Amino acid sequence: MKNLFLFLCTMLIANSMQSQNILSGTVTDLKSGKSLPGATVIVEGTYYATVSNEEGKFEFKKLTAGKYNLQVRYVGYTTINRWIEIPKDNLVKFELAPVTIVQDEVIISATRAGKESGMATTEISSEQIQNANTGKDVPFLLEGVPSLVATSDAGTGVGYTGIRIRGSDASRINVTINGIPINDSESQNMYWVDLPDLASSIDNVQVQRGVGTSTNGAGAFGGSINIQTSTPSDSSYVISSNSFGSFNTLKNTISLGTGMLNNHWNFQGRLSKISSDGFIDRATSNLKSFFVSGGYYGKKDLLKVNIFSGKEITYQSWYGVPEASLDTNRTWNYYTYDNQVDDYQQDHYQLFYTHEFMQGLHLNTALHYTYGRGYYEELKEGEAFADYNLENVIIGGDTITTTNLVRRLWLDNNFYGATWSLNYDAMKNYNFILGGAWNQYNGDHFGEVIWSQYASNGSIRQRYYDNNGLKTDFNLFLKSTIKLTAKLSVFGDVQYRNVGYNFTGVDSDQNPLPQNDNLSFFNPKAGITYTVRPGTYGYLSFSVGNKEPSRDDYTESTVASRPLPERLYDLESGYFYKKNNFYAGFNYFLMMYNNQLVLTGQLNDVGNYTRTNIKNSLREGVEIEGGWNPLAAVSVKGNVTLSRSQISEFKEYLDDYDNGGQQVAIYTNTAIAFSPKITGYLDVSYQPVSQLQFSLINKYTGNQYLDNTSNSNRKLNGWFIQDFRVNWNVKTRFVKELRLSAIANNLFDKKYESNGYTFSYIYDGAVTTENYFYPQAGRNYTVALTINF
């Protein structure tokens, strides 16, 4: 650590001795010559970025001599990239041409939050993602987002990964790809493992924290992640990206694109393979995926098709490591059966059509279909024949009632539907979006016995349960922003959502499932924004979100005992300041829940442990973020969240093995599980030349409780870890770009666990608590080479 500190200090001193130059310029309309205020100007390969002022002017004060690629963007205009040389080109002028074809951005505009919506958002560019993309799942590439915590079952960020925003798990985070919902309709969870190397096909991501604006799919209680996939490149390309790291982690990706053909047609594709042994014993991952896209881009019309698929085979590491083994065997895995795997494939088909009726008025439509199928296989010992609809076996006069067997639990599902929006933004002081969607999920769940120690009367692949879930989701929303003055804007958003859910068949315990439910929700949102100047503004918003129970809440209960929907009232208020090479943001949030669903240990009327509604609970906190370039080659950016969570009254139900039944313990004003009081992120980067960058990334997550009792014996200890990354980019006459990356993750070999679970019971007159954790890898390394031809 001392040597690293001295090394960084030496580089800082050397940099401070370099001469610094001022770069200034203007951004104007090519046809009219009028200035374009609010245009984004980025110095590619650095953290320098600014926006043009009311006169279309911009300025960078601390650039050292050298060549830089400047990118200028403005909505409705063609993006310009231009190489300049400092100090030769100290004054530049950019003339932007109005867009002559419909662009991809209109596809996702309906589900994005604008700067004048009053919502807490973070934008992540393709460059930010690709700099860190060495095979880890998307949650680990978003760790710079305020209040976000990522976790991995295998301990490496490959395979099964999870994400929480403000303490809310993935089932409360809405994820869309190009405006199309991706969360599993029944569990409402997001399984990133089903889309391996999705990051290599991402153009940009917007993360909304809290309820956010209206979108398609599951209700957002923790946040929304809105992904836009790759957009057309002006020129053809072939990119080979390969990385190798600790635990035999290997990623191979090949991407190609045609560029714009005849100024209208574009095609691109990607093929990926990722494998890893995992940090946890036997927690292997074998992941494959592809992405292909093609489209016609006209002056008034856009027609585009995306087809992408992911196939994953992961050895199960879901069980966790018992607390007693953390110091002696952190890589312990409960499962030893050689084919204890999760094997699943998911295919996605997306068809988009956009028509521009007149300038500023677009109709966006999309049809989509997702086909998912697969199983997880497991060895079960001492299972009763009766539980599998099998007859007992009689051998030599002895009746055998149990057997060891191997079973597969299958999912075979279809998800399809349509989304649409009508976007109008032709008027200077007014815009609106009218949109909605109709989606349906039809999923079969069944179990097969593929091997049994005793044959009984079964046949291979005999189904011992079979059921179906049919879920229909319809929503309609209207959003509008009105500029009351040049600086004051108001935002309104109302959504109606209807959910119908039907179950048929029997579950794995042979219990009949037939149930149906129909729920209607009204989700209003409003915000106000005051813009001091371009890049500096304050905002206030209030939103209401509603969320239906998940599949297990229904199937493990009856009509009489199933829980009620959840409701969230979300207040957000903040201020964002940006000037030259400094920016800072402050956001206050107050999230008040009504009937939040949590596990209490209570058995319902059919003897199952299910989630229970809690009348009142809340989350409150502040999110502070900022960035600064103190020297020309040095950038610092980061964020910190300080928060508290509270359940007014929590009842814990403990199984009493001494006397039978359950005992109840009542707690007041306890913390919500998995809700750290503090999270932080700090990225310090040094770029001595435009082609070379060193980054030290610091991540901190405070203590979390494993349940809602605030019991210090059921706690996930906080962690503070560092990653060190080197990126080197070079352009030659033979290749467009050659990028070499080297990453040391968990640089100081910190032992920590990022997830876990707990359960307690009464035995022999005492309360016994068992904690299980998911340890993350210690110091590990990855090297990646990307060549763009």
Side-chain angles (χ1 to χ4, degrees):
M1 180 66 180
K2 180 180 178 181
N3 292 334
L4 176 63
F5 177 76
L6 292 174
F7 173 67
L8 290 175
C9 288
T10 301
M11 291 191 294
L12 291 177
I13 294 171
N15 174 77
S16 65
M17 299 174 64
Q18 299 181 49
S19 61
Q20 297 176 352
N21 300 270
I22 296 176
L23 169 66
S24 59
T26 58
V27 184
T28 60
D29 183 294
L30 176 64
K31 293 183 177 180
S32 66
K34 292 183 179 179
S35 61
L36 296 177
T40 300
V41 186
I42 300 171
V43 182
E44 290 288 328
T46 75
Y47 289 95
Y48 283 92
T50 188
V51 293
S52 57
N53 63 17
E54 290 85 351
E55 298 176 343
K57 296 179 180 180
F58 66 89
E59 185 178 78
F60 295 102
K61 292 185 176 181
K62 299 179 179 180
L63 291 178
T64 57
K67 291 184 178 181
Y68 297 92
N69 182 23
L70 264 63
Q71 183 183 90
V72 182
R73 301 175 181 173
Y74 195 78
V75 177
Y77 288 79
T78 302
T79 298
I80 286 182
N81 284 278
R82 182 190 302 170
W83 282 92
I84 59 126
E85 185 176 354
I86 298 296
K88 180 181 177 181
D89 302 314
N90 285 98
L91 181 63
V92 292
K93 183 176 181 179
F94 289 91
E95 296 177 316
L96 272 58
V99 172
T100 56
I101 60 172
V102 181
Q103 294 189 330
D104 287 80
E105 281 72 12
V106 299
I107 293 175
I108 48 90
S109 59
T111 52
R112 290 282 173 106
K115 289 184 178 180
E116 296 173 328
S117 64
M119 307 294 177
T121 63
T122 301
E123 308 281 344
I124 302 99
S125 68
S126 174
E127 183 180 11
Q128 290 173 288
I129 292 173
Q130 299 315 318
N131 280 342
N133 180 22
T134 57
K136 288 187 176 184
D137 265 353
V138 172
F140 285 85
L141 305 183
L142 302 180
E143 285 189 303
V145 173
S147 306
L148 188 149
V149 177
T151 183
S152 167
D153 284 9
T156 57
V158 178
Y160 267 87
T161 60
I163 192 170
R164 290 191 176 92
I165 298 177
R166 294 181 179 173
S168 296
D169 65 26
S171 68
R172 288 176 161 84
I173 300 171
N174 173 280
V175 182
T176 59
I177 296 180
N178 303 316
I180 293 172
I182 299 296
N183 297 66
D184 177 72
S185 294
E186 294 192 296
S187 70
Q188 299 169 50
N189 216 322
M190 175 61 196
Y191 298 102
W192 298 99
V193 70
D194 296 337
L195 294 171
D197 203 25
L198 174 64
S200 292
S201 295
I202 289 179
D203 182 77
N204 62 81
V205 180
Q206 183 187 72
V207 179
Q208 302 177 31
R209 304 185 297 280
V211 171
T213 60
S214 291
T215 186
N216 302 312
F221 269 34
S224 301
I225 300 176
N226 189 308
I227 297 171
Q228 180 177 8
T229 55
S230 302
T231 57
S233 171
D234 291 334
S235 59
S236 61
Y237 63 87
V238 176
I239 300 175
S240 172
S241 180
N242 303 276
S243 63
F244 178 77
S246 304
F247 315 109
N248 289 322
T249 301
L250 181 66
K251 171 182 175 286
N252 305 109
T253 301
I254 185 75
S255 305
L256 53 88
T258 63
M260 294 301 290
L261 304 176
N262 296 325
N263 296 321
H264 291 294
W265 294 93
N266 181 271
F267 301 92
Q268 55 188 304
R270 171 186 58 81
L271 189 63
S272 300
K273 184 181 187 300
I274 301 173
S275 60
S276 177
D277 290 345
F279 170 67
I280 300 299
D281 295 343
R282 297 176 296 284
T284 57
S285 298
N286 186 359
L287 316 175
K288 300 176 182 178
S289 68
F290 73 83
F291 177 93
V292 293
S293 178
Y296 172 81
Y297 296 78
K299 290 184 178 180
K300 298 290 185 180
D301 302 276
L302 184 158
L303 180 64
K304 183 174 182 177
V305 176
N306 290 338
I307 302 174
F308 51 101
S309 176
K311 167 73 172 178
E312 58 93 3
I313 301 177
T314 55
Y315 193 96
Q316 295 168 22
S317 51
W318 306 335
Y319 197 87
V321 177
E323 187 172 19
S325 297
L326 289 178
D327 293 331
T328 58
N329 189 3
R330 296 178 60 79
T331 64
W332 180 84
N333 192 342
Y334 171 80
Y335 302 111
T336 57
Y337 167 57
D338 62 356
N339 203 44
Q340 188 93 12
V341 300
D342 184 66
D343 186 323
Y344 192 78
Q345 180 169 339
Q346 199 171 75
D347 306 329
H348 297 259
Y349 304 87
Q350 301 179 339
L351 172 65
F352 304 95
Y353 175 68
T354 294
H355 179 71
E356 182 183 39
F357 294 101
M358 60 182 187
Q359 185 176 1
L361 181 62
H362 293 88
L363 174 65
N364 304 315
T365 60
L367 298 175
H368 67 88
Y369 171 63
T370 301
Y371 176 42
R373 67 279 191 194
Y375 60 86
Y376 69 87
E377 183 172 316
E378 57 184 356
L379 171 68
K380 301 291 288 185
E381 298 178 331
E383 296 290 284
F385 284 112
D387 291 341
Y388 295 84
N389 293 324
L390 298 173
E391 296 177 359
N392 292 333
V393 173
I394 299 176
I395 300 178
D398 294 328
T399 300
I400 299 174
T401 60
T402 63
T403 183
N404 297 337
L405 56 82
V406 175
R407 67 184 189 183
R408 287 179 175 175
L409 279 64
W410 277 86
L411 291 175
D412 191 325
N413 47 64
N414 299 272
F415 179 61
Y416 44 84
T419 67
W420 65 277
S421 67
L422 185 65
N423 301 20
Y424 179 72
D425 61 359
M427 296 181 65
K428 183 177 180 181
N429 298 320
Y430 172 74
N431 67 64
F432 76 82
I433 299 174
L434 177 65
W438 179 92
N439 303 303
Q440 188 169 79
Y441 171 92
N442 191 332
D444 291 327
H445 304 251
F446 58 92
E448 297 177 338
V449 177
I450 66 169
W451 174 85
S452 179
Q453 181 182 8
Y454 300 100
S456 183
N457 63 320
S459 58
I460 189 170
R461 305 194 188 285
Q462 173 165 321
R463 293 190 182 185
Y464 63 96
Y465 75 91
D466 199 343
N467 63 73
N468 174 269
L470 183 67
K471 183 177 182 180
T472 304
D473 187 339
F474 168 80
N475 87 89
L476 185 68
F477 60 81
L478 175 64
K479 307 176 184 182
S480 181
T481 301
I482 301 173
K483 277 197 170 186
L484 301 179
T485 68
K487 295 186 176 182
L488 184 64
S489 300
V490 294
F491 171 80
D493 181 345
V494 291
Q495 182 192 48
Y496 169 78
R497 182 167 177 247
N498 179 265
V499 177
Y501 213 171
N502 294 278
F503 300 94
T504 58
V506 297
D507 66 12
S508 58
D509 295 322
Q510 311 304 314
N511 298 316
L513 287 181
Q515 278 195 55
N516 64 79
D517 197 12
N518 191 279
L519 301 168
S520 293
F521 302 123
F522 178 66
N523 302 314
K525 308 166 183 70
I528 184 170
T529 301
Y530 182 80
T531 302
V532 180
R533 56 181 177 78
T536 300
Y537 55 91
Y539 59 87
L540 173 70
S541 68
F542 182 77
S543 308
V544 178
N546 290 276
K547 192 173 188 305
E548 71 275 18
S550 69
R551 170 186 169 83
D552 288 348
D553 296 321
Y554 285 101
T555 60
E556 297 182 8
S557 64
T558 65
V559 173
S561 66
R562 70 190 183 199
L564 299 171
E566 303 171 279
R567 177 168 293 175
L568 171 60
Y569 302 96
D570 182 19
L571 175 68
E572 307 273 342
S573 179
Y575 184 79
F576 190 88
Y577 172 86
K578 187 172 185 179
K579 186 175 182 181
N580 297 328
N581 298 320
F582 175 80
Y583 72 89
F586 171 90
N587 184 71
Y588 166 80
F589 63 88
L590 176 60
M591 304 167 68
M592 298 167 287
Y593 298 88
N594 184 25
N595 288 327
Q596 184 176 192
L597 284 166
V598 300
L599 284 169
T600 64
Q602 183 179 14
L603 292 169
N604 62 15
D605 56 356
V606 291
N608 289 325
Y609 300 101
T610 57
R611 296 192 300 173
T612 303
N613 293 113
I614 290 181
K615 188 63 179 174
N616 296 310
S617 55
L618 64 83
R619 301 182 191 274
E620 182 182 26
V622 293
E623 297 162 327
I624 305 167
E625 58 183 317
W628 182 38
N629 294 101
L631 299 171
V634 177
S635 65
V636 181
K637 66 176 182 178
N639 60 73
V640 62
T641 298
L642 305 172
S643 64
R644 71 181 184 99
S645 62
Q646 181 177 294
I647 296 176
S648 299
E649 182 180 275
F650 177 73
K651 294 181 180 179
E652 179 189 26
Y653 292 81
L654 299 176
D655 290 335
D656 187 343
Y657 292 119
D658 295 334
N659 304 303
Q662 293 188 305
Q663 292 191 18
V664 182
I666 299 177
Y667 303 83
T668 57
N669 298 327
T670 61
I672 303 175
F674 300 105
S675 300
K677 290 184 178 180
I678 180 171
T679 60
Y681 177 90
L682 179 64
D683 182 339
V684 181
S685 295
Y686 173 67
Q687 193 163 7
V689 294
S690 59
Q691 296 88 0
L692 182 64
Q693 183 183 67
F694 303 90
S695 298
L696 181 64
I697 301 164
N698 305 267
K699 293 170 282 189
Y700 178 80
T701 302
N703 296 336
Q704 307 169 56
Y705 293 107
L706 295 173
D707 65 8
N708 301 294
T709 64
S710 292
N711 189 327
S712 58
N713 294 321
R714 310 172 191 174
K715 187 175 68 174
L716 192 64
N717 292 324
W719 64 89
F720 180 42
I721 61 172
Q722 291 75 33
D723 299 339
F724 185 69
R725 184 171 66 216
V726 179
N727 284 328
W728 178 65
N729 295 270
V730 64
K731 294 176 173 62
T732 73
R733 69 172 72 179
F734 306 107
V735 296
K736 295 178 182 177
E737 180 186 32
L738 187 150
R739 182 169 69 244
L740 180 65
S741 301
I743 304 174
N745 298 296
N746 194 357
L747 185 62
F748 300 108
D749 202 26
K750 173 72 174 179
K751 291 183 178 181
Y752 72 104
E753 301 79 45
S754 61
N755 201 4
Y757 63 92
T758 184
F759 59 91
S760 302
Y761 52 88
I762 299 172
Y763 181 73
D764 200 19
V767 174
T768 298
T769 294
E770 297 190 33
N771 298 325
Y772 288 79
F773 297 92
Y774 296 87
Q776 303 300 286
R779 185 187 302 112
N780 61 96
Y781 307 94
T782 303
V783 176
L785 175 65
T786 299
I787 304 175
N788 185 348
F789 297 96

